[in-house]
Amino acid sequence: MGETHLARRRRLAALVAERDAGALLVTRLVNVRYLTGLDSSRAALLVPAGGDAVLATDGRYAGMAAEVCPELPVIVDRQVAHVLLKRAAGDGHARVGFEAHDMTVEQHADLAADAEGDLVPLGHLVEELRRVKDEEEIALLREACAITDRAFEAVLPAIRAGVTERAVAIALERAMVDLGAERPAFESIIASGPNGAVPHHHPGGRELEHGDLVTLDFGALYGGYHADMTRTVAIGEPADWQRDLHDLVHRAQRAALDAAVPGAETKAVDAAARDVIAAAGHGDAFPHGLGHGVGLEIHEAPLMGYDKTGKLVDRVPITAEPGVYLAGRGGVRIEDTLVVRAGGPELLTTTTKDLLVL
């Protein structure tokens, strides 16, 4: 992906130039990976408005850097940000941008003490680039989601009365790795019975029971990219209220998917689902936003909520995950990872959303 990473750095350099800075010091590790391909625990990248970028990492990753991004000059030093700041001064950059959202006050003060020119915050420039995915990224997301689908299918026979939430979570996570995932994309949520009323319940020792709704929220990590899917199943024949609740959330999600088109306001897509749930009298039982972007991080821009601003554009992967949570009774959430496309959303998670009775 050398040419891909070079193209990304060139787009970033143009943004740096627009903001009248000589260079940008990139210290967020996920952003360094996006721009170079290097996945490490210590690295930074200097991206000048004109000229070639310079990577800094420590001795543990020098060989990896030479293999992953041979086109980049690499400085081997543990003080990655400081050594690149000195490089910027030596190259005559009087104004150097930095990622203020990645630094503590103490870290900034330490860095500023070494600066020979001005350090200026330039906002979330790399994150702005990362929002829209190229087709190589979408292919990695697509495979992460395919692994997620297959893992769910493989674990279905194990989701039965008498099995604990934690046992289901372990089985799902093992299945994802066995099917090719690097690891789970996040800690799986398995919420059964009344625990389903807690959107981010941590799976514990509760045993699944006949009459439970069980919410399973999980995803695979593949090639650095995160999948995210939620399905709610029934243990034994569901009660009428459970079927009605599942149908309501399914309809709400379908409305959101129909609204997720290029040019749509993110809060309008959220409202498409929220209005369906509110009309059924459960507006207060949908306490979170509709979804979020996904990619090298499990939660990325754009955030989809009633109080969020921004517009969707082509090739932005997002989740759509409406839910209704009834205290003491249980809940339903249905979630897919999808890519916004001009001709309609491309669903990357394809497992059925019908209420499965196990």
Side-chain angles (χ1 to χ4, degrees):
M1 292 181 67
E3 289 299 319
T4 298
H5 292 125
L6 176 60
R8 292 172 184 173
R9 295 194 296 270
R10 285 176 174 168
R11 290 197 297 272
L12 177 60
L15 294 177
V16 174
E18 288 176 3
R19 285 155 177 79
D20 197 28
L24 173 66
L25 179 63
V26 180
T27 53
R28 277 202 78 203
L29 291 173
V30 67
N31 288 342
V32 173
R33 179 175 185 175
Y34 175 76
L35 295 166
T36 68
L38 179 66
D39 181 17
S40 74
S41 63
R42 190 187 300 272
L45 185 71
L46 184 71
V47 181
D52 298 327
V54 180
L55 176 68
T57 188
D58 68 28
R60 294 171 298 166
Y61 299 104
M64 185 185 300
E67 180 180 349
V68 172
C69 40
E71 76 282 3
L72 281 174
V74 179
I75 301 174
V76 180
D77 194 299
R78 287 188 62 80
Q79 299 296 320
V80 292
H82 289 268
V83 74
L84 287 180
L85 196 59
K86 291 178 182 177
R87 174 66 175 258
D91 289 344
H93 299 308
R95 282 171 52 85
V96 177
F98 71 100
E99 295 183 307
H101 53 292
D102 186 54
M103 288 193 185
T104 65
V105 173
E106 182 178 6
Q107 287 170 334
H108 176 259
D110 184 46
L111 197 62
D114 263 0
E116 297 182 22
D118 294 331
L119 275 178
V120 292
L122 291 190
H124 296 62
L125 292 189
V126 185
E127 287 83 357
E128 289 177 21
L129 290 178
R130 284 173 48 203
R131 181 189 301 245
V132 178
K133 306 299 189 283
D134 57 48
E135 294 299 337
E136 292 177 69
E137 293 180 284
I138 292 172
L140 292 170
L141 276 170
R142 191 179 290 115
E143 181 57 25
C145 290
I147 292 170
T148 302
D149 284 322
R150 294 197 295 269
F152 180 71
E153 182 179 2
V155 171
L156 274 178
I159 305 173
R160 61 183 186 273
V163 176
T164 67
E165 295 172 340
R166 178 160 177 75
V168 174
I170 291 170
L172 265 175
E173 294 178 356
R174 181 181 296 119
M176 287 188 285
V177 173
D178 288 346
L179 288 164
E182 297 170 35
R183 58 175 173 80
F186 53 92
E187 181 183 352
S188 300
I189 296 170
I190 310 297
S192 64
N195 292 338
V198 181
H200 279 186
H201 172 72
H202 295 284
R206 184 184 185 278
E207 294 183 354
L208 279 55
E209 300 177 0
H210 285 285
D212 281 351
L213 290 176
V214 184
T215 297
L216 305 98
D217 186 342
F218 61 102
L221 179 73
Y222 180 82
Y225 285 77
H226 297 71
D228 199 354
M229 182 175 82
T230 306
R231 294 293 186 266
T232 301
V233 301
I235 306 299
E237 187 61 30
D240 288 346
W241 72 268
Q242 293 172 320
R243 284 194 179 277
D244 291 344
L245 197 64
H246 190 275
D247 179 66
L248 172 64
V249 174
H250 193 179
R251 287 189 287 110
Q253 199 219 30
R254 190 160 55 244
L257 296 179
D258 289 342
V261 297
E265 296 279 352
T266 54
K267 62 183 178 182
V269 182
D270 176 274
R274 197 169 300 277
D275 289 350
V276 172
I277 292 171
H282 290 301
D284 291 340
F286 179 17
H288 55 76
L290 175 72
H292 52 85
V294 289
L296 285 170
E297 295 178 284
I298 187 60
H299 294 106
E300 297 188 354
L303 299 179
M304 316 284 290
Y306 63 87
D307 58 346
K308 305 303 179 184
T309 59
K311 291 185 178 182
L312 297 180
V313 297
D314 191 49
R315 301 200 324 271
V316 172
I318 60 171
T319 67
E321 49 184 299
V324 176
Y325 312 93
L326 305 180
R329 302 176 74 188
V332 173
R333 182 165 66 255
I334 300 173
E335 174 186 20
D336 285 300
T337 297
L338 60 112
V339 181
V340 177
R341 300 282 197 182
E346 177 190 355
L347 285 178
L348 300 185
T349 44
T350 59
T351 296
T352 181
K353 285 171 277 197
D354 294 338
L355 180 58
L356 297 179
V357 179
L358 305 179

